[in-house]
Amino acid sequence: MPEEKMGRAWKELNMDNLRHNCEVICKLLPENCQLMPALKANAYGHGAVEVARELNAMGLSAFCVATLHEGVELRKNGIKGEILILGYTHPNEFYLLRKHRLTQTVLDSEYAKAINSYRHKIHVHIGIDTGMHRLGECSENIDNILEMFKCENLVVDGMFTHLCASDSMEKPFAEYTNAQILLFYGVVNEIKAQGIKCPKLHIQSSYGVMNYPELKCDYARVGIALYGLMSTQEDTEKCNLALRPVLSVKSRVSAVKNLAAGEFAGYGMEFEAPCDMKIAVLSIGYADGIPRSLSCGKGSVLIAGKKAPIIGRICMDQMSVDVTDIPFIRQNDIADIIGKSGNDVITAGDIAKQAGTISNEILSRLGGRLSLACKNKKNKYWTKLIYSVRIKIGAIL
Ligand SMILES: *Cc1c(COP(=O)(O)O)cnc(C)c1O
């Protein structure tokens, strides 16, 4: 692994865990319902092409992304199957939909007309707004929806809605979700009543699958759960699925230095050593996606299985941690920013909590400067071995 040897900061994907998550989610879905992984935002920061390749190899053949160019990137890298664009595409770029065999969401009836006036056929899924009031034609406008099926340049392969409160089973949220589901199937029934062939249907995202697994659909658009966690650490812990995190983030120790009591470290004299101590400078910063709000002890990293609190202000490309209690640490060592080390673990959910957000945001904002290493079991074994030998030698010396 070149990253292991000389990278400054990198992501590691555990493809065994990705396959495992796929399997547990698929088991929860009704028969005939296919997983449609959400690969938007670079597969939630994981690397869309690498993740899609693995999923393609597992036999999955339907994906969704947020933007046209995310879809184009997957095609240019040889990803097969249906790729649905969930968001807006400018009419001037409709030609790219055809060129790369991408499927576009119909955002509303106005947009249906725009697609239809393009001179060629375009594959679409119709978005139905059942209460989120984001994208989709309002479920009440049934005539507008039926009209879309008559547009000669729209090849309607699917129809879907998005639930906006399915993450909670408390009464008001469950009621809202059930109302959304009813509105969607109301549209479906109307279409069938008109003798129109029903396209593929989908409703659930991760929380929809977790809380409403029984819905009769053709696809489930699953993002965050596929990557091995839910949006919050609490939800991940109480989730009925045995999910395993796919991604870890590591960074190089670029320097180790001693601070005497009363000395400062970092910008703004924010950190003053309360006693003689040892700090490690890490080659990762907020431009790599580490929230700056974890500065000054809010967040920690793991080094050799021990927690090292972040000291001072996180910089754009670097940050410092307290390693006073960690023996044998030296330049070129590796710190775990997200992931397991010894018996301890830091999850994207932990970081999200410290930063006041959800794990989806932490993952999807992981920066483009992080390189990517895809791991299998064999590699992991060797790193573990090298580490444990190092620690043993250190103990003898
Ligand atoms: C992002 C997104 C999903 C996936 O959501 P998760 O909660 O990550 O599973 C599904 N559908 C739509 C429309 C989305 O925007």
Side-chain angles (χ1 to χ4, degrees), residues 38 40 44 86 134 160 162 205-206 221-224 360:
K40 58 191 182 181
Y44 294 45
L86 296 167
R134 196 172 64 176
F160 70 98
H162 194 41
S205 57
S206 295
R221 305 180 307 270
V222 177
I224 193 70
N360 312 44

Side-chain angles (χ1 to χ4, degrees), residues 36-40 44 64-66 86 132 134 160-163 202-208 220-227 229-231 360:
M36 181 193 262
L39 300 177
K40 58 191 182 181
Y44 294 45
C64 57
V65 293
L86 296 167
M132 185 172 187
R134 196 172 64 176
F160 70 98
T161 194
H162 194 41
L163 303 174
H202 42 114
I203 301 179
Q204 303 129 300
S205 57
S206 295
Y207 281 91
R221 305 180 307 270
V222 177
I224 193 70
L226 188 68
Y227 304 109
L229 54 170
M230 300 305 281
S231 294
N360 312 44

Side-chain angles (χ1 to χ4, degrees), residues 90-219:
H90 194 281
N92 288 351
E93 294 197 301
F94 284 166
Y95 76 99
L96 287 171
L97 294 171
R98 270 172 59 80
K99 183 174 174 196
H100 296 285
R101 290 164 293 106
L102 300 167
T103 304
Q104 173 62 43
T105 295
V106 180
L107 310 180
D108 56 21
S109 55
E110 188 80 16
Y111 198 76
K113 286 181 198 130
I115 298 178
N116 198 42
S117 61
Y118 183 68
R119 290 183 313 282
H120 305 278
K121 289 195 188 311
I122 289 180
H123 286 261
V124 299
H125 284 205
I126 296 174
I128 305 291
D129 178 8
T130 52
M132 185 172 187
H133 300 128
R134 196 172 64 176
L135 296 178
E137 179 62 26
C138 179
S139 55
E140 285 166 16
N141 300 340
I142 193 71
D143 289 341
N144 288 351
I145 296 165
L146 292 173
E147 199 61 38
M148 294 177 193
F149 285 90
K150 294 183 196 136
C151 291
E152 62 169 345
N153 286 331
L154 266 64
V155 183
V156 182
D157 296 329
M159 188 168 80
F160 70 98
T161 194
H162 194 41
L163 303 174
C164 57
S166 63
D167 57 327
S168 170
M169 292 305 276
E170 280 175 41
K171 202 164 172 230
F173 303 105
E175 277 173 5
Y176 201 84
T177 303
N178 284 318
Q180 281 195 278
I181 293 166
L182 279 179
L183 285 172
F184 184 71
Y185 284 112
V187 173
V188 172
N189 289 337
E190 198 65 43
I191 285 165
K192 286 181 181 161
Q194 298 286 322
I196 297 168
K197 185 172 172 287
C198 190
K200 303 266 196 211
L201 304 176
H202 42 114
I203 301 179
Q204 303 129 300
S205 57
S206 295
Y207 281 91
V209 168
M210 189 174 93
N211 291 329
Y212 303 83
E214 69 291 344
L215 293 182
K216 292 234 173 325
C217 287
D218 299 287
Y219 295 119

Side-chain angles (χ1 to χ4, degrees), residues 234-254:
E234 292 77 47
D235 288 346
T236 306
E237 278 157 20
K238 68 174 193 230
C239 178
N240 50 3
L241 295 164
L243 301 173
R244 297 178 187 161
V246 174
L247 174 133
S248 39
V249 173
K250 294 171 194 289
S251 163
R252 188 73 59 188
V253 173
S254 45

